[in-house]
Amino acid sequence: MKYRYCYICGTETVSKKIDGRKRSYCESCGIPLYENPIPSVAVVLTEPDQRILLVRRSVEPGIGEWCLPGGFIEIGETPSQAAVRELKEEIGIEIEPPQLLSVGSHLNGYYGDVLIIGFSADINPDDPLVPGDDVSEAVFFPVNERPRMIFRVHEEFVELWQRRNE
Ligand SMILES: [Zn+2]
């Protein structure tokens, strides 16, 4: 159970079985404290020669490993806005609003369960890439010669993009 204390009133929670599952329950507020996956975005960025842009992570989880650029959606953002912001922060480029590709999950990870909204977008290979704090490198790879990525769901997004663009 994630919540030892109620995030509304601060009272210590109790464990209570509700709807067949043990949940944190606040007896003061009289409500279960539901746990939900964290929404995030990932972007399959490709240039006209079908090369894909991957980033090498400089933070946990998966430090030193490759993955798609992306990150968590912040309060007040749409998923599309989060994707645009994350690309600006991680690799220093501005993209047009991306296309929805698919939705997947990463379960029991470093941050718990994460819901990942996958987008695709075009990138100009001549745009200068400026890796931000969360990544050590941003590199174009021919899509069939890319390194293995740390998140299975990112692989699934790329495989889906490939099937649609063959
Ligand atoms: Zn409470």
Side-chain angles (χ1 to χ4, degrees), residues 41 43 45 53 55 58 69-74 77 81-95 128-138:
V41 297
V43 187
L45 267 181
L53 188 90
V55 295
S58 60
F72 293 116
I73 301 173
E74 304 222 37
E77 278 182 333
Q81 287 167 343
V84 171
R85 175 186 52 77
E86 286 287 349
L87 294 182
K88 179 80 183 154
E89 287 176 7
E90 285 193 349
I91 54 178
I93 59 146
E94 305 257 10
I95 59 159
L129 302 175
V130 184
D133 292 344
D134 294 354
V135 303
S136 58
E137 290 183 81

Side-chain angles (χ1 to χ4, degrees), residues 5-13 25-31 33:
Y5 298 93
C6 174
Y7 51 67
I8 297 167
C9 73
T11 301
E12 197 166 345
T13 61
Y25 185 84
C26 177
E27 291 182 316
S28 173
C29 294
I31 56 166
L33 303 176

Side-chain angles (χ1 to χ4, degrees), residues 28-66:
S28 173
C29 294
I31 56 166
L33 303 176
Y34 291 104
E35 293 177 49
N36 306 101
I38 308 172
S40 72
V41 297
V43 187
V44 176
L45 267 181
T46 54
E47 50 90 276
D49 288 338
Q50 303 246 315
R51 290 186 307 159
I52 183 173
L53 188 90
L54 302 186
V55 295
R56 194 193 279 272
R57 304 176 60 81
S58 60
V59 292
E60 294 292 358
I63 191 164
E65 304 279 349
W66 295 96

